[in-house]
């Protein structure tokens, strides 16, 4: 549980750095409004992690992840911002929900850059592996069209991609 003071937005801005994440894939970490968490994120060109629990990131919250992230056997929901992921892999029972209020961005030399529009998701590589599910759920209240922009897009055997009312733009796709 992260401390969440009541009051103005400035008081509610909480940042948490998680250096090592251990779990058995049965728990869920919920980032609430205006919270930022750095999950095993290190300033290095090669940074890989396998998420040990599910995530639920609220609309104004930010999760900063390693450049290569694996979602296996957990179910995560993104209403907020996913930062730092260049390669996202979902498989082995993993489920990833992107809601139309979510967005992505990158961190370069400690500065957040390439912030996508709300409802747009940009990855260098996106793989949905065997028994993995990825859902991009459009919500009319957000009023934004959804866009998935990927350089290398891979949907493997026995994996599922749901794209409800959105556009997929990719350099290379293997479906």
């Amino acid at each position: 549980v992260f401390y969440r003071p009541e009051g103005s937005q400035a008081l509610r801005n909480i940042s948490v750095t998680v250096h090592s994440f251990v779990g058995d894939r049965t728990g869920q970490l919920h980032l609430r409004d205006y919270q930022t968490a750095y999950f095993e994120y290190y300033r290095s060109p090669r940074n890989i992690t396998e998420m040990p629990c599910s995530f639920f990131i609220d609309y104004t919250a930010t999760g900063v992840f390693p450049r290569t992230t694996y979602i296996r056997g957990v179910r995560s929901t993104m209403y907020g911002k996913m930062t730092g992921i260049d390669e996202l892999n979902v498989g082995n029972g993993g489920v990833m929900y992107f809601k139309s209020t979510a967005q992505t961005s990158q961190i370069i030399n400690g500065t957040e850059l390439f912030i996508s529009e709300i409802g747009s998701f940009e990855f260098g590589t996106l793989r949905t592996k065997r028994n993995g599910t990825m859902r991009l759920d459009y919500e009319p209240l957000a009023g934004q069209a959804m866009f998935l922009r990927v350089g290398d897009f891979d949907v493997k055997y026995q994996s599922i991609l749901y794209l409800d009312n959105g556009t997929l733009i990719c350099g290379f796709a293997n479906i």
Side-chain angles (χ1 to χ4, degrees):
V1 175
F2 300 138
Y3 175 65
R4 186 169 192 257
E6 297 299 323
S8 71
Q9 177 183 333
L11 292 175
R12 295 185 294 168
N13 289 337
I14 304 295
S15 291
V16 175
T17 301
V18 180
H19 294 287
S20 180
F21 218 160
V22 178
D24 62 359
R25 298 186 179 132
T26 60
Q28 182 184 62
L29 183 98
H30 186 170
L31 285 181
R32 305 212 31 204
D33 294 341
Y34 306 106
Q35 292 180 339
T36 299
Y38 296 82
F39 301 110
E40 296 181 348
Y41 172 79
Y42 308 101
R43 289 185 187 177
S44 69
R46 189 84 173 127
N47 203 358
I48 300 172
T49 194
E50 182 173 332
M51 293 292 107
C53 70
S54 297
F55 293 91
F56 191 100
I57 299 180
D58 282 347
Y59 170 55
T60 55
T62 301
V64 181
F65 296 87
R67 291 181 61 87
T68 302
T69 300
Y70 290 89
I71 306 290
R72 294 181 180 145
V74 296
R75 184 183 69 204
S76 296
T77 304
M78 302 296 156
Y79 282 93
K81 190 187 306 177
M82 288 182 77
T83 299
I85 296 178
D86 185 50
E87 178 182 334
L88 179 63
N89 298 278
V90 179
N92 295 343
V95 179
M96 191 77 192
Y97 295 99
F98 291 100
K99 302 298 185 174
S100 55
T101 57
Q103 63 189 122
T104 58
S105 67
Q106 291 295 324
I107 292 183
I108 298 174
N109 295 328
T111 304
E112 186 177 22
L113 300 171
F114 308 114
I115 301 170
S116 69
E117 296 290 324
I118 291 175
S120 293
F121 313 99
E122 299 177 7
F123 299 100
T125 302
L126 183 60
R127 290 189 180 98
T128 305
K129 298 182 176 186
R130 186 173 186 176
N131 296 325
T133 301
M134 191 169 305
R135 292 185 64 108
L136 284 85
D137 294 329
Y138 174 77
E139 296 175 352
L141 296 176
Q144 297 285 346
M146 296 183 74
F147 289 94
L148 177 59
R149 293 180 182 92
V150 182
D152 185 8
F153 184 64
D154 217 356
V155 179
K156 297 286 190 182
Y157 174 71
Q158 291 185 337
S159 63
I160 300 170
L161 170 70
Y162 294 99
L163 179 58
D164 180 26
N165 199 8
T167 302
L168 171 62
I169 301 169
C170 61
F172 175 79
N174 183 15
I175 300 175

